[in-house]
Amino acid sequence: MERFTAVIFVLLVSCICRTLGQTCERNCGKRLDLCSCQPTCKSLKNCCTDYREYCVATSPYSGSSFGGTDFIVLDATFNKSSHIVCRFNNESNTVGYVDESSRGHCISPLLYETGWIPLHISSDNGTTFNRVGAWLSVHTGKLDSKFKAILVNSTKWQYYGTPNVGGTLEMTWNSSLVRAERVNIELWGYRETGEPYSVSWHGQWEYLYSLTKDQTNNGSFSFLPKPAENGFSSWELGALRVSPSTYPDGMWNVQAAWTEDHALAWHLEERFRQDSTVWAQEKCLAWDQLENQLPNFLSEIIDCPCTLAQARADTGRFHTDYGCDIEKGSVCTYHPGSVHCVRAIQASPVYAAGQQCCYDSTGAQVLTADSIGGSTPDRAHDWGSPPYRKPPRIPGQSHWVYDVLSFYYCCLWSDNCQYYFKHRPSSDCRRYQSPSSAVVFGDPHFITFDGVSYSFNGKGEYTLVTSAKRGLTIQGRTEPVNGTIKATMLTAVAMKEASSDVIEVRLDSGHRGLQVLQNQKTLSFAEQSWMDLHGVFVFSPTSANVTVMFPTGAGVEVRLREGTMTTTVLLPEVFSGSTLGLLGKMNGDASDDLVLSNGQLVQNLSNPEELFSFGASWAVSNKSALFTYDSKYLLDTYYDAPRHDHTFIPVFFVPETPDDPLDNQASEICSGEGSEFCRYDILVGRSPRMGNATRLSFQSHIALVDDLKSVVSCGWLSPPSNGKKEGTTYLQGAKVGLSCDDGYTLKGSAERVCQENGQWSGEETSCVVPSNITGIVVGSVLGGVALIVIITTIVLHSRKQKRKASREMINTF
């Protein structure tokens, strides 16, 4: 009876809400008078009764940008007679269906963009789209292998027809990705048409032909490729699609498993197989001519970091290239000799170009002037760039067309890399400037951008960094360590830049992981570790590791250690002189680092009470707060209360009590620089685990600062003509040896050293042909001497004959 009464009550409330217009239909994301359609309503338990019906979630929530993913619409109910149409980005429609359990399904379409795509769902065949959700479109290179078909020995596919590469090709896939007993294997091609950088420039995916039809869906297919017919071999880039045989050939937007896009060497014309080198050279020369006509993008791309340590530390501007990752075994197919590459996260402002930087096992940057495996800039950023959808901003494919296929033409299928590197030369690091870093950790302790360290144990929400010039705001929330200890810890960080999404990273309820929210909505990283959001990227490979990256190059790293948050902020040089907040004024001058919100300077950095007043001055206002308040505790403690709790007075000094049972542990764990922070967290926070985490966070920050130290580069040094060099490192202290080929003489310095001023020591080196003047002189002298000897001999002989003749005449008389 009670259950029946509850059901009647819910139905009655629902009826009243609908009568009063309190429905989530067309109101998702809004807070209404009687109920809410915001994501926070689930935890606050104030959702309108039809929230889940109209503000929908899906499973899975992500898939390849090539489309073909079948996903379920969660919670919403459908009739067996419903005709489902799913609309993506308000323009691309796909036909869905209702399964035997009355669950609605959608099929993701082929998209020319990545990131969260607005999703609207109709159950009346497209008349009204009253259900709202979002779909995450993922770059195929970043998609987990379990969600795509795999080219077995992909190198063989892309070198097929070149010398000594032939035979059968094989592909595999998880048969559950395509719910059909029999499938077709189709080839789709991609090309870009229209004049580059004009409004007519477009990307085009097109069905070409099927390799097989009506094959058993057993998860594998092998075949012996032959040159494509009917002119299809002119398509040099494409992907294979596995789709149900029940659909017509090349039908768009059906459930499917795709391979990654790749160079279609295996289907190119017979002429390629007869002499791939000549064929590729012709293509390379044609590409060279095309590049001569296109705008020069090199001047606007960011310079590479000088060292591998810098590249891996500068997480606000550079991210690991999934094709050459030292953490995954350094399989660097396109960069032999390198062990790790990174890509600039943001595309260049005008031409949407990319930068790739590669490093060898010594940590030195590899340059194309020295090696085929060197760093290369890209006319089109591999990951695309907002607003995507048109070349050169289409993720993946634009990069293939303008940067990768040409590498095959000039470097991999022929030996003409000089043409490729003429247009894609490595940028060295002479203009690279490391970012500055600041950190919050432990109980909580702060180290500013200019190196000032202090502790602030206020309870509330505070501004960590604000830069009006760059539109950046980063806020932190602190909570008491527990109910009895008068010390606090950082539990949440919220941030945005200009008009970007608001990103919040916070400890989960058990302090066992980090939770990420986008505009108050919780994000799941169960399927994907990278997300392209509005005006911001987020990377979370584990629940203890989140990195947030903004267009200015600002980066925020949040790490979970022993139940505490360590938050590192990295800011590039453009922020110099424009930051305020708890992490200080970033200008290289530690003396003016701590400024109250009213502009007054902290006078005594050793006075904890004065530091406490400084911290309290940076409490956020209700209007400027970026945090999500989705529990009664957060509403009562922060939203409906002063942002700085004036009644909470922390312990300012570490108690010196030798009989404290934790004193020995503090002495064992805490030593060296930063030990005062570690001791505070153990002896005041009463937690050796937290103290150890504080010690590790402090050491990590010191190591980060060391990795980001500026280094001097003298730039690439060329070998002399008709000579060679030893050494490909060009940083301060590096030595380069220079020598000449046989038959040539070295002129200038045989060894040059990169000096502190960024200049090479010694004189410019050249190799010259040995001079013959000495030989001529010596020959002339010797010839002259010989001539004198001969003449002298003749004269003496003549005189001797005359004397002899005279004696004979005298004797006759």
Side-chain angles (χ1 to χ4, degrees):
M1 184 67 184
E2 289 180 359
R3 183 178 178 183
F4 177 76
T5 303
V7 170
I8 294 296
F9 176 75
V10 169
L11 292 175
L12 182 61
V13 170
S14 176
C15 181
I16 294 173
C17 286
R18 286 177 178 274
T19 302
L20 297 176
Q22 304 295 285
T23 172
C24 287
E25 185 175 8
R26 297 184 177 84
N27 285 317
C28 289
K30 298 178 182 179
R31 184 180 179 86
L32 308 179
D33 294 333
L34 300 179
C35 56
S36 174
C37 301
Q38 294 177 329
T40 56
C41 76
K42 289 181 288 184
S43 55
L44 291 174
K45 296 181 172 55
N46 64 347
C47 294
C48 296
T49 54
D50 58 4
Y51 173 76
R52 292 180 182 273
E53 183 70 27
Y54 292 105
C55 308
V56 299
T58 69
S59 179
Y61 62 78
S62 64
S64 167
S65 59
F66 291 173
T69 302
D70 184 323
F71 59 87
I72 300 169
V73 182
L74 299 175
D75 298 319
T77 56
F78 296 88
N79 299 320
K80 291 292 181 66
S81 59
S82 297
H83 294 281
I84 295 180
V85 177
C86 309
R87 178 168 291 173
F88 297 79
N89 217 12
N90 296 315
E91 60 182 17
S92 297
N93 288 358
T94 65
V95 177
Y97 65 94
V98 179
D99 65 19
E100 61 279 359
S101 301
S102 297
R103 298 180 304 180
H105 290 248
C106 289
I107 308 295
S108 67
L110 190 153
L111 296 161
Y112 294 89
E113 59 184 310
T114 55
W116 285 102
I117 310 298
L119 168 66
H120 293 81
I121 301 171
S122 168
S123 56
D124 55 10
N125 203 29
T127 302
T128 57
F129 288 86
N130 53 4
R131 292 179 172 89
V132 179
W135 172 250
L136 183 63
S137 174
V138 183
H139 186 295
T140 54
K142 294 179 179 179
L143 192 70
D144 192 288
S145 59
K146 63 187 176 187
F147 296 119
K148 55 191 173 187
I150 304 299
L151 302 176
V152 177
N153 190 356
S154 61
T155 301
K156 182 178 178 180
W157 286 73
Q158 299 181 93
Y159 278 79
Y160 200 96
T162 61
N164 304 316
V165 183
T168 301
L169 296 178
E170 182 184 2
M171 60 182 287
T172 61
W173 64 94
N174 185 333
S175 57
S176 66
L177 294 174
V178 184
R179 288 199 301 274
E181 292 185 1
R182 309 193 71 80
V183 295
N184 296 344
I185 311 295
E186 303 171 339
L187 175 63
W188 289 63
Y190 178 84
R191 62 172 43 155
E192 293 184 351
T193 60
E195 182 181 350
Y197 303 102
S198 73
V199 293
S200 66
W201 200 8
H202 292 285
Q204 174 190 5
W205 275 102
E206 186 173 304
Y207 165 75
L208 303 183
Y209 57 86
S210 293
L211 294 177
T212 187
K213 297 182 181 181
D214 203 34
Q215 171 180 297
T216 302
N217 183 15
N218 59 8
S220 68
F221 171 66
S222 59
F223 69 107
L224 186 66
K226 59 182 180 180
E229 300 175 349
N230 302 323
F232 287 127
S233 65
S234 64
W235 295 79
E236 298 167 5
L237 172 64
L240 293 168
R241 189 180 83 164
V242 184
S243 57
S245 297
T246 51
Y247 295 111
D249 294 347
M251 183 173 177
W252 291 80
N253 304 329
V254 300
Q255 185 185 23
W258 290 81
T259 67
E260 285 194 41
D261 40 357
H262 60 280
L264 302 178
W266 54 272
H267 99 144
L268 295 179
E269 59 185 323
E270 181 65 34
R271 195 164 67 88
F272 175 79
R273 297 191 181 186
Q274 291 174 354
D275 196 334
S276 58
T277 301
V278 171
W279 185 96
Q281 180 175 307
E282 292 176 2
K283 290 284 186 178
C284 177
L285 294 174
W287 174 80
D288 174 51
Q289 292 301 311
L290 173 63
E291 279 290 315
N292 288 331
Q293 301 168 26
L294 297 178
N296 188 332
F297 65 90
L298 297 174
S299 61
E300 69 167 5
I301 58 175
I302 186 174
D303 269 16
C304 286
C306 292
T307 66
L308 176 58
Q310 287 179 335
R312 300 186 72 187
D314 192 352
T315 52
R317 292 183 292 182
F318 294 91
H319 187 76
T320 298
D321 178 4
Y322 49 79
C324 184
D325 183 356
I326 197 171
E327 299 291 338
K328 297 181 179 178
S330 299
V331 182
C332 305
T333 303
Y334 302 116
H335 297 277
S338 296
V339 299
H340 193 74
C341 295
V342 297
R343 290 190 182 276
I345 294 166
Q346 307 293 336
S348 67
V350 176
Y351 296 112
Q355 176 66 288
Q356 187 184 44
C357 312
C358 297
Y359 302 85
D360 64 19
S361 57
T362 70
Q365 187 189 2
V366 183
L367 303 179
T368 52
D370 295 322
S371 166
I372 188 177
S375 315
T376 50
D378 300 315
R379 181 170 291 281
H381 197 299
D382 183 21
W383 304 336
S385 65
Y388 306 106
R389 306 179 72 183
K390 288 190 62 177
R393 298 179 180 273
I394 295 175
Q397 286 78 68
S398 288
H399 175 58
W400 263 103
V401 169
Y402 282 89
D403 302 296
V404 185
L405 283 177
S406 47
F407 189 74
Y408 276 87
Y409 300 153
C410 301
C411 298
L412 302 183
W413 292 341
S414 72
D415 188 18
N416 293 283
C417 260
Q418 69 274 18
Y419 290 102
Y420 186 83
F421 293 146
K422 178 176 72 173
H423 299 291
R424 302 290 186 271
S426 298
S427 64
D428 60 29
C429 65
R430 281 176 289 177
R431 293 182 300 165
Y432 173 76
Q433 293 179 310
S434 296
S436 296
S437 62
V439 67
V440 187
F441 57 97
D443 227 5
H445 314 291
F446 298 76
I447 302 177
T448 70
F449 294 107
D450 295 337
V452 173
S453 58
Y454 69 97
S455 297
F456 168 61
N457 269 270
K459 175 192 170 187
E461 293 174 349
Y462 307 93
T463 297
L464 300 179
V465 179
T466 180
S467 173
K469 181 179 179 182
R470 298 292 169 180
L472 176 69
T473 300
I474 304 173
Q475 299 172 351
R477 173 188 292 150
T478 60
E479 299 181 44
V481 172
N482 62 38
T484 59
I485 294 171
K486 288 297 184 178
T488 58
M489 58 188 286
L490 192 70
T491 58
V493 181
M495 64 207 85
K496 69 172 297 188
E497 184 178 274
S499 60
S500 76
D501 288 338
V502 174
I503 302 300
E504 181 176 348
V505 184
R506 65 187 185 185
L507 291 173
D508 65 16
S509 57
H511 291 195
R512 291 183 296 270
L514 297 174
Q515 190 179 58
V516 183
L517 295 91
Q518 171 205 17
N519 300 334
Q520 302 187 357
K521 178 182 179 181
T522 302
L523 293 176
S524 168
F525 288 87
E527 295 175 16
Q528 309 300 333
S529 60
W530 177 282
M531 290 192 189
D532 305 341
L533 307 177
H534 177 68
V536 61
F537 299 110
V538 180
F539 176 63
S540 181
T542 72
S543 62
N545 188 331
V546 178
T547 302
V548 183
M549 298 146 278
F550 292 103
T552 58
V556 180
E557 298 178 357
V558 184
R559 305 289 181 262
L560 178 66
R561 283 197 177 100
E562 300 292 352
T564 66
M565 284 176 57
T566 294
T567 300
T568 300
V569 181
L570 295 147
L571 297 183
E573 185 66 20
V574 293
F575 282 88
S576 182
S578 71
T579 70
L580 292 170
L582 296 185
L583 291 178
K585 182 185 290 187
M586 176 183 139
N587 60 2
D589 181 3
S591 65
D592 66 352
D593 234 21
L594 304 188
V595 179
L596 279 71
S597 60
N598 62 9
Q600 292 182 350
L601 188 67
V602 173
Q603 300 298 320
N604 186 358
L605 297 180
S606 62
N607 184 333
E609 284 90 351
E610 188 172 350
L611 289 171
F612 188 75
S613 297
F614 156 74
S617 77
W618 284 107
V620 303
S621 65
N622 282 347
K623 184 178 180 181
S624 65
L626 301 178
F627 293 99
T628 299
Y629 306 94
D630 55 356
S631 69
K632 186 176 187 304
Y633 165 75
L634 291 175
L635 287 170
D636 292 345
T637 309
Y638 296 97
Y639 187 79
D640 293 325
R643 297 306 169 117
H644 170 72
D645 186 350
H646 294 277
T647 66
F648 185 88
I649 306 300
V651 175
F652 290 119
F653 298 97
V654 177
E656 296 298 334
T657 50
D659 57 344
D660 189 324
L662 294 180
D663 190 66
N664 287 337
Q665 290 191 60
S667 298
E668 291 174 4
I669 295 172
C670 310
S671 62
E673 190 179 3
S675 60
E676 68 275 15
F677 298 144
C678 174
R679 289 184 62 80
Y680 184 96
D681 291 359
I682 293 176
L683 300 177
V684 177
R686 311 308 295 168
S687 173
R689 290 177 62 231
M690 183 182 292
N692 189 53
T694 290
R695 178 181 63 84
L696 292 174
S697 293
F698 181 85
Q699 292 174 346
S700 295
H701 181 72
I702 298 304
L704 176 67
V705 171
D706 188 60
D707 287 341
L708 288 172
K709 279 183 180 177
S710 296
V711 297
V712 174
S713 172
C714 293
W716 180 70
L717 189 64
S718 64
S721 298
N722 304 308
K724 54 183 175 293
K725 70 176 181 181
E726 290 186 11
T728 55
T729 301
Y730 310 112
L731 305 182
Q732 182 180 344
K735 297 178 181 179
V736 175
L738 304 155
S739 59
C740 294
D741 298 336
D742 291 342
Y744 293 86
T745 300
L746 184 76
K747 181 181 179 182
S749 300
E751 181 181 84
R752 304 187 71 181
V753 180
C754 181
Q755 303 174 109
E756 186 179 359
N757 62 0
Q759 301 296 318
W760 288 103
S761 67
E763 299 177 357
E764 186 174 347
T765 306
S766 59
C767 294
V768 299
V769 178
S771 174
N772 288 325
I773 294 176
T774 302
I776 293 171
V777 171
V778 172
S780 298
V781 171
L782 292 176
V785 170
L787 182 61
I788 292 172
V789 170
I790 293 171
I791 294 173
T792 302
T793 302
I794 292 172
V795 169
L796 291 175
H797 180 73
S798 176
R799 289 179 178 177
K800 184 176 180 182
Q801 290 297 321
K802 286 182 179 180
R803 287 197 299 272
K804 182 179 179 181
S806 296
R807 285 197 300 270
E808 289 178 351
M809 187 177 292
I810 293 170
N811 291 334
T812 301
F813 286 103

